[in-house]
Each structure stands twice: as structure tokens, then as C-alpha cells.
Amino acid sequence: MAKIVYVCPRSERDGDQWTDALESVSRRLAPDNIETSYLLGESDDGVRYTVVTPPSFLLRDGGSVAIGALAEPGRDWAVPEAAVPEGTYALFRASAAAVELCTDILASRTIWYFHGERALLASTSQRALIMLLGSFEANYRVLPWVLSAGCLAPGESWDRRLSCVPPNSRLHLDRQSWKVSCITEPVVFRARTTPARMAPGDELETLLRASISKYAFDAGHWIVPLSGGYDSRGLLLFLGPGRKLRTLTWGQASSMGRPGNDATIARQLAQTLGLDHSYETTDASGEPSEVILDRFLRLGEGRVDHVTGYLDGFAIWRRLVELGFEGIVRGDEGFGWQTCATEDQARATAGMEWMADFSNLKPYEDCFPAQDMPEQLTRRPDETLPAWRDRLYHSFRIPTILAALTDLKVGYVEVANPYLSHKVVEFVRMLPDDLRTNKVLYRRLIKGLSPDVPFATEPAIADMRGALASSSMRQLLLDALSGAGASAADIPTGLRSTALHALTVAPTGSFSRPSMLRTVVSRWTPRRAKALLRKSVARRSVDPYTLAFRIYLLDRMQAILVEDAAALRSVGGSVRAC
């Protein structure tokens, strides 16, 4: 339920000049469909910050603030260089001698920063930093990633001057020398060789119960989004019957009552466990499509293209605020990923798809900066394919894609992810490959603990094409590709024309799920055979609606960030001279 903007001036005398700027930033970051508040804070040694829509349980101490969910924070949680707490968070802590920016083990909450001559600026919002800098310098390295993967490049911001703190890291500012250093713990998947005290499943269950019990989730402030799958179901089982947290599922109105659908299974599970449950529809609201998409981009800052769950204009999240909820307990996890036969497949399943992977993007790949595997993510000589696959999931998918999805929600509610706590992640990294692949160990555990309620076989929300194929949304995308705003991002004219033509001839209306025959054939075709077919027979293409929306995202985000850069110029040039 919070976004933070944090300023450490080099000189204490400069602290007061930031107050007006922080107030202005707060107003621009707040959602436009709820009544919002912000909290201005400061320390005796000049640190200033604002927290937008702060929850009642916000942890702060002087110039130190914890955004997210901490499990039993000790007395020294706010002290630079002290041990970092368990939890999922973005941690800002300060003393007279130092400022420290700390990420959790998977950077489930992203911290962006700019280290200037006169101030260290840090925030969970890129837009906030661009406002404070008073200018926007486009980072062209993100363009091909948005087109091919629907997300930003790993570790990259919209503005080339901004950096992000890596997962499991501490960025340390020595306030005397004004030098910054960063300590990052490496990601290593290595099966332990010492005998375990108990069977792996029993050990995982004990760890999860102990870990989740340390979080102070109460029914008055927290609610659990519930699907029909394994992750949120496991959370409910480990949270225990005593907390009686309410559950919530969202999706298309047509999903309710469908056999095997998330909507149907989640309701059945909640009834079996004796929990209050509600279902909210994500069907497009009565607001204009442009308003809905603009809110999506401003709140999520265009970090990911997963718009399908937000076409209600964030009405679900507004409703939670109105009901008094301040946080959601999610089941994001890193227990292991899908079986992969090749390195290309491992990369693609993690969401690292490149322009060269798609027939309708490959002709234009030379028009953009090269898409390469970052050195720190390259497969190591002694690394098994499953270990590398899961390292990509931990080091790219969670901090880049899942953290971006969290960003969309925190304007309304705080987000906790107990499965991403340090001890849980470290345990997973010590498992052998066969117990991680397809989450075998975790799924086996939840099956054994679950009541007799089937697991869902289809999602409740629409896919991207189904979400964008309404007549109003399609017309908006057509207008955007061909109108005056179609030049904001540096996209080749040929690619725009290709996308516009494909969208023009693409079918409209609702889209059904894959047929049962296609599903069965896909399920029983060996993964290596499918990978070879994709590579040698028919290169995939990006769906016309998806491609059109990604180009729209690039154009509109460029325009929003240019507006942000100009928003605070009336405050004074001293703010921008960082």
C-alpha cells in the first residue's frame, strides 16, 4: 500500500528545499480513483522522504523506512550495516554516517536510485526520480525487450541515468566521502551433500509453517487472493485456521461456474475451509479504454504488459481500500520451473524472449540495441540446465516481471510474499534438480495436505488477445498506431506498419480457450520435440493485439515520462541540480 520517494542531501542545509518537491511527487504518484494520503518524514540529519498511501502498520524510525512485509523485525532493522530482516521488502535505512538501500533475496520490491553530486535519490518509483531530476533521458536498451518480452530489460530503467539495486544486495552510501558501494550475494543452486535431518517434504513443510507464522497477518488488514492452483492454496493451509483471513478471486464474469476454472475451484476451496470468499470481475469497466490503459501505465510505470487483470480500471483494488483492507498475502514463489529441453526454451520460459525468436520481429532486430544475456545471468560451465533455468527465474523473472506486477497493486494495498522469504529461497536452492523441476516437491506436499478439492485446469482471467479484442480497445490501438502519438517512441516505421496491418486484419470478439484435443496433444508431445519444431519448422510470431499494445505502451510511457520530467519545474532549479 505504499510507494516511497527518498532523498539524502549531501548537505544538511539542503534538506528543507526538498519538501515541496516531495509533496508534488506524492500527488502525481497517487491513484486517481481513490482518496489518497501521503506521509512526509525527515530525520535530524537531513534525510527526507514521502510515502504515498502509507498503511497503518508502516515501519519507520528516524530516517529509516521499511516498505513491504517484515517477519519479526528485530530492534536493529533500521540500522545501516546491521543484519537484514526476513521478509519481502524494500528497506531504506539511515544514520548520520551512512544510508543503506537493501533488497530482499529476490528483489521482490524494486529500488531505483540516482547518485548525484548533491543528493542520493532513491525510490520504488522510476517516475518519481524523473520528476525530481526534472528531465528524461530515454534508455533505448529497453525498447526491444518491451516488444519481444513485454517487460523492461533486466536491471534497466526507462531513464538511462537510473539504476536499480540488485536482488539480495545492500547499496551503501558513506555520507562523509559521498561514495557508494554495493554488496550483492551471489545466486547459487547447488544440491547439498550433507545428510538431511528429515525427508525433504517434511523439512519443507516445517520450514514453511515456521516462516509464515512469523508474519503478523490479521483479518482486519490482510486478504488472500485465491486461485485454484497450488500456491495460494498452500498459503491458506500454512496460515492456519486461526487467522480466518478472507479470500478473493478475480476474473471474467463468464468464468464463474465453469468446471475446472480458477473461479469455481477457489470458491469451492474457500467453502471447504470455512472462509469468507468473494469474486470480482475484471471485465472492462464503463470508463473509456484510454482512461483504463492510462491508469495501468501510470501505476505500473509500463514495466510489464500484463494488462488483462486490470481492464476493470482497478475497481477491485479501489473496492479493497473502501472495505478497509491494507494488504494482500500472495503466493508468488520460486520452488522450481518447467521442464526445459534446450537453453533457448529455458530462457523463453523465464520470460526472456528476444526479437530474434519471433518471425514478425526478427526483420527489425538490427534497428535496436542488441539483446544479449547479461553476464551475471549467463549459464556457468558447471551449471545444469535445470539449475540455470531456475536461476533465471530467481534472478530475472521475479525481480523484473513479478516485481512489476506488485508495483501495479501497491498504490492501493501492501503486498506480502512469504514464499519469497530468505530462508525458504535458500532451502529451494539446495534441492536436487528433480525435486525443483515442475515444483515436484512443493506440489507433492500441497497435494498431501489439501482437502478433497480438485486443482484448477484453466485461469479465470482472459488472455491478452481476449482482453484487447473488444471494439473500443481495438479502435484505440488502431488510432494509436496511426495517429499523432505514434512517434513518441523510436520504433521503425516498417514495424509500425506491419503491426497496424496485422491488427487491421486480425479477428475481433471473444476468443475461446485451446480445444481439448490441442491441449492433450500438447501435453503428450515431448518438450524436446516441441522445442525443435518451434526452432526449425515455424518460428512463432507475436500476436497482433499483443504487439499493438506493446507499441502503444512504448509510445504512451515516453509521453508520460516527458510530462513527469516537466511537472516539478516550478519548484525551482535547485531540485534538479543533483
Side-chain angles (χ1 to χ4, degrees):
M1 195 178 180
K3 292 191 177 185
I4 185 172
V5 190
Y6 195 87
V7 178
C8 176
R10 189 167 187 175
S11 169
E12 291 184 28
R13 295 189 302 272
D14 293 337
D16 291 339
Q17 68 177 316
W18 294 94
T19 301
D20 289 344
L22 289 173
E23 287 189 88
S24 299
V25 169
S26 298
R27 287 190 290 270
R28 286 187 65 84
L29 290 182
D32 66 339
N33 63 340
I34 60 171
E35 290 188 16
T36 56
S37 62
Y38 57 88
L39 173 67
L40 288 171
E42 62 181 82
S43 64
D44 294 337
D45 47 33
V47 169
R48 299 287 191 276
Y49 62 85
T50 182
V51 181
V52 184
T53 58
S56 61
F57 47 79
L58 178 72
L59 274 178
R60 59 192 187 111
D61 183 358
S64 300
V65 189
I67 302 296
L70 274 59
E72 294 185 342
R75 288 178 295 179
D76 60 353
W77 72 266
V79 180
E81 299 187 75
V84 294
E86 270 283 6
T88 52
Y89 52 76
L91 185 58
F92 301 71
R93 45 194 195 181
S95 66
V99 165
E100 199 170 64
L101 312 177
C102 304
T103 53
D104 60 44
I105 189 169
L106 296 173
S108 65
R109 299 292 287 272
T110 310
I111 302 177
W112 309 95
Y113 70 94
F114 172 84
H115 179 226
E117 287 297 320
R118 298 186 59 190
L120 173 71
L121 311 179
S123 180
T124 53
S125 165
Q126 298 175 69
R127 292 182 58 209
L129 299 186
I130 290 169
M131 292 180 215
L132 293 177
L133 290 171
S135 60
F136 171 57
E137 296 185 13
N139 178 7
Y140 296 105
R141 289 190 294 271
V142 305
L143 298 182
W145 285 84
V146 172
L147 291 170
S148 61
C151 64
L152 299 185
E156 297 283 354
S157 163
W158 287 109
D159 190 300
R160 62 186 181 86
R161 298 165 298 177
L162 306 185
S163 302
C164 69
V165 183
N168 208 14
S169 296
R170 303 179 189 219
L171 185 88
H172 185 89
L173 170 69
D174 185 311
R175 299 182 69 176
Q176 181 64 36
S177 67
W178 204 245
K179 291 183 178 179
V180 164
S181 59
C182 188
I183 299 175
T184 300
E185 296 295 328
V187 179
V188 178
F189 281 80
R190 182 175 295 118
R192 62 186 176 194
T193 56
T194 56
R197 295 179 292 108
M198 59 182 78
D202 294 337
E203 190 172 2
L204 178 59
E205 180 181 355
T206 300
L207 174 62
L208 291 176
R209 290 192 186 280
S211 177
I212 293 173
S213 69
K214 296 179 181 178
Y215 288 88
F217 301 134
D218 63 88
H221 292 128
W222 295 87
I223 190 169
V224 179
L226 181 61
S227 71
Y230 287 82
D231 302 333
S232 57
R233 180 179 304 212
L235 267 183
L236 282 181
L237 297 174
F238 294 128
L239 283 166
R243 302 205 200 196
K244 287 291 182 181
L245 297 185
R246 286 184 57 181
T247 59
L248 168 71
T249 305
W250 56 83
Q252 300 173 95
S254 59
S255 294
M256 181 56 72
R258 289 172 60 96
N261 191 277
D262 270 336
T264 304
I265 300 300
R267 180 177 61 180
Q268 184 179 347
L269 178 63
Q271 290 174 344
T272 301
L273 297 175
L275 300 173
D276 288 338
H277 179 71
S278 57
Y279 185 76
E280 299 284 345
T281 63
T282 55
D283 299 284
S285 70
E287 295 178 289
S289 296
E290 187 172 5
V291 171
I292 293 172
L293 295 187
D294 206 57
R295 187 175 295 139
F296 172 81
L297 294 179
R298 289 181 184 275
L299 290 174
E301 305 194 346
R303 293 178 60 187
V304 69
D305 70 347
H306 294 21
V307 71
T308 57
Y310 303 93
L311 292 182
D312 65 339
F314 289 79
I316 294 170
W317 307 99
R318 183 186 68 232
R319 176 69 173 152
L320 289 182
V321 172
E322 293 169 349
L323 291 173
F325 289 106
E326 296 185 275
I328 60 172
V329 187
R330 285 188 58 83
D332 292 349
E333 45 73 28
F335 292 122
W337 203 221
Q338 303 163 1
T339 301
C340 295
T342 67
E343 289 191 359
D344 282 346
Q345 194 175 19
R347 172 176 57 79
T349 59
M352 300 185 75
E353 294 175 301
W354 295 340
M355 294 189 72
D357 297 329
F358 299 100
S359 60
N360 53 345
L361 295 182
K362 183 173 174 55
Y364 303 98
E365 64 176 324
D366 292 339
C367 302
F368 297 94
Q371 287 178 283
D372 299 310
M373 182 67 69
E375 183 178 354
Q376 70 273 18
L377 297 182
T378 302
R379 186 178 177 185
R380 297 162 184 158
D382 61 343
E383 196 169 28
T384 66
L385 184 61
W388 183 60
R389 170 206 66 202
D390 291 345
R391 186 161 66 85
L392 289 181
Y393 195 97
H394 283 201
S395 301
F396 170 76
R397 187 172 183 83
I398 291 176
T400 304
I401 298 177
L402 271 62
L405 291 170
T406 293
D407 254 8
L408 285 159
K409 304 169 182 66
V410 295
Y412 301 86
V413 293
E414 192 49 272
V415 178
N417 276 297
Y419 282 163
L420 302 184
S421 296
H422 193 105
K423 290 181 180 178
V424 176
V425 172
E426 287 288 3
F427 174 80
V428 170
R429 291 175 180 174
M430 292 189 296
L431 291 173
D433 290 348
D434 63 309
L435 292 184
R436 289 194 324 276
T437 298
N438 296 323
K439 300 193 293 189
V440 163
L441 182 64
Y442 174 74
R443 289 163 63 97
R444 186 186 302 161
L445 171 63
I446 301 307
K447 279 184 178 179
L449 297 173
S450 176
D452 188 20
V453 175
F455 292 86
T457 55
E458 67 174 32
I461 63 172
D463 59 17
M464 183 72 86
R465 173 181 280 203
L468 298 175
S470 68
S471 58
S472 61
M473 196 67 72
R474 173 191 172 94
Q475 191 58 53
L476 178 118
L477 294 176
L478 287 169
D479 293 344
L481 285 175
S482 58
S487 59
D490 193 8
I491 306 295
T493 302
L495 179 55
R496 287 188 186 275
S497 299
T498 298
L500 182 61
H501 173 73
L503 186 62
T504 302
V505 300
T508 59
S510 60
F511 293 85
S512 60
R513 300 286 174 190
S515 67
M516 181 61 69
L517 176 61
R518 179 179 171 186
T519 301
V520 170
V521 169
S522 177
R523 181 175 299 171
W524 291 103
T525 301
R527 289 182 180 272
R528 182 176 294 276
K530 287 191 286 186
L532 293 174
L533 282 170
R534 280 197 296 266
K535 188 171 183 179
S536 61
V537 178
R539 188 186 299 272
R540 296 171 297 155
S541 63
V542 179
D543 173 79
Y545 285 94
T546 300
L547 180 56
F549 179 67
R550 289 174 178 176
I551 294 176
Y552 174 85
L553 185 157
L554 287 169
D555 284 335
R556 187 67 190 121
M557 275 310 303
Q558 296 278 327
I560 289 172
L561 296 173
V562 169
E563 293 170 11
D564 286 337
L568 269 62
R569 287 177 185 167
S570 60
V571 175
S574 58
V575 170
R576 300 193 305 276
C578 295

